[in-house]
Amino acid sequence: MQMSGEIMKCKNCKVDFFSRTERCPLCGTEGELSHFDLQKDCYFYPEYAVPKSSKLDIAKKILLFLTIAFSSIAIFVNIFSLDIQGSLWSLLLASCLFYTLISFKTIFSKKMHTGSKILIQLLLLSALAIIIDIFTGFRRWSTSFVVPSLSIVSSLVIVFVAAGRRSLYKEFSGYLLTSFLVSIIPALLCLIKLSTHVWVGYAAFLVSLLMLLGLYVFSEKDFKNEMKKRFHF
């Protein structure tokens, strides 16, 4: 693209401009010749630093590729040997691999809230345990013991994390919400009769509720006042 005219400089605005009228387009003041070199000083496409992928991003990509590759190979081998083995073991292997992938991305995520990480880990481990239980005859050991135990451990972790941080309202309310959601899971399993030992599920529900109550009792006064204002109690 070629331009005609000269580079002028406005005494008033202190800017360089390209104009045939020799007047500043901003204030209309007559300009003077500028020492601005169009070839050397003008960059129509300014240079910028291209962001480089961190080692963590590269590790995530490698783990994603390996997960898809090994899962695909396992499913392929399983399908063509189904008449011999008679079981879909590849689905179990793929579940474990994808659990590892999602856990890795969740743990090292900088954008995700701590409470969300705990809840996701609880859901992932619970789902993996149920899948393994199904592939081994579904004796309901996962829903009767593993999920309630994970619920109790998750609630304890949430309490210790929240107690160790002087959090703002939004962050602390996130811990409370996570603890509440964790406490519901064992109770739901008992209600839909997926637990062979009902008392374990309800005991985990009780423990989680006590942890939730403890979080509220030992929280700061400002947080309690804010909770009362928001929930009108």
Side-chain angles (χ1 to χ4, degrees):
M1 178 176 167
Q2 296 182 348
M3 299 181 182
S4 60
E6 296 178 326
I7 302 297
M8 310 295 290
K9 188 176 185 64
C10 177
K11 297 178 181 180
N12 184 31
C13 300
K14 306 298 182 184
V15 295
D16 295 302
F17 62 93
F18 194 90
S19 175
R20 294 180 180 179
T21 61
E22 298 184 353
R23 290 189 177 274
C24 177
L26 299 177
C27 64
T29 304
E30 186 176 353
E32 61 182 7
L33 287 175
S34 173
H35 298 290
F36 186 88
D37 191 333
L38 183 62
Q39 299 298 328
K40 296 181 180 180
D41 302 329
C42 185
Y43 298 96
F44 295 100
Y45 299 98
E47 297 180 357
Y48 62 94
V50 178
K52 297 181 180 179
S53 299
S54 63
K55 293 182 179 179
L56 182 60
D57 293 333
I58 296 174
K60 290 179 180 179
K61 293 178 181 179
I62 293 175
L63 186 59
L64 174 61
F65 174 76
L66 292 177
T67 300
I68 296 175
F70 281 112
S71 298
S72 301
I73 293 172
I75 293 174
F76 178 82
V77 173
N78 192 185
I79 291 176
F80 284 93
S81 61
L82 192 60
D83 296 336
I84 301 174
Q85 297 179 354
S87 63
L88 295 173
W89 55 267
S90 59
L91 297 180
L92 180 59
L93 176 61
S95 300
C96 295
L97 291 175
F98 276 99
Y99 162 75
T100 304
L101 172 65
I102 298 173
S103 296
F104 182 82
K105 296 182 67 174
T106 301
I107 292 172
F108 291 99
S109 175
K110 296 180 180 179
K111 299 180 180 179
M112 193 173 295
H113 187 272
T114 305
S116 300
K117 292 182 179 181
I118 296 173
L119 181 60
I120 290 175
Q121 284 298 313
L122 170 64
L123 295 175
L124 289 175
L125 283 172
S126 299
L128 183 61
I130 292 173
I131 291 173
I132 295 174
D133 193 4
I134 292 174
F135 275 89
T136 56
F138 195 52
R139 299 177 181 177
R140 299 184 183 182
W141 53 264
S142 58
T143 54
S144 299
F145 300 103
V146 176
V147 176
S149 300
L150 290 174
S151 174
I152 295 175
V153 172
S154 300
S155 297
L156 288 172
V157 172
I158 291 172
V159 169
F160 284 117
V161 172
R165 296 182 180 180
R166 293 184 177 181
S167 306
L168 299 176
Y169 169 75
K170 291 183 179 180
E171 187 174 358
F172 211 103
S173 60
Y175 292 130
L176 284 172
L177 178 61
T178 304
S179 181
F180 175 72
L181 293 175
V182 166
S183 66
I184 293 177
I185 296 176
L188 289 177
L189 293 176
C190 293
L191 291 176
I192 60 179
K193 297 180 180 180
L194 286 178
S195 176
T196 56
H197 295 73
V198 179
W199 67 270
V200 179
Y202 284 118
F205 177 68
L206 177 61
V207 171
S208 298
L209 284 181
L210 290 175
M211 296 297 174
L212 176 64
L213 179 62
L215 279 177
Y216 179 78
V217 170
F218 292 101
S219 61
E220 300 293 336
K221 292 183 179 180
D222 294 338
F223 172 76
K224 294 178 181 179
N225 293 332
E226 189 66 27
M227 289 287 288
K228 292 178 180 179
K229 291 179 183 179
R230 295 199 174 220
F231 295 101
H232 306 288
F233 64 89

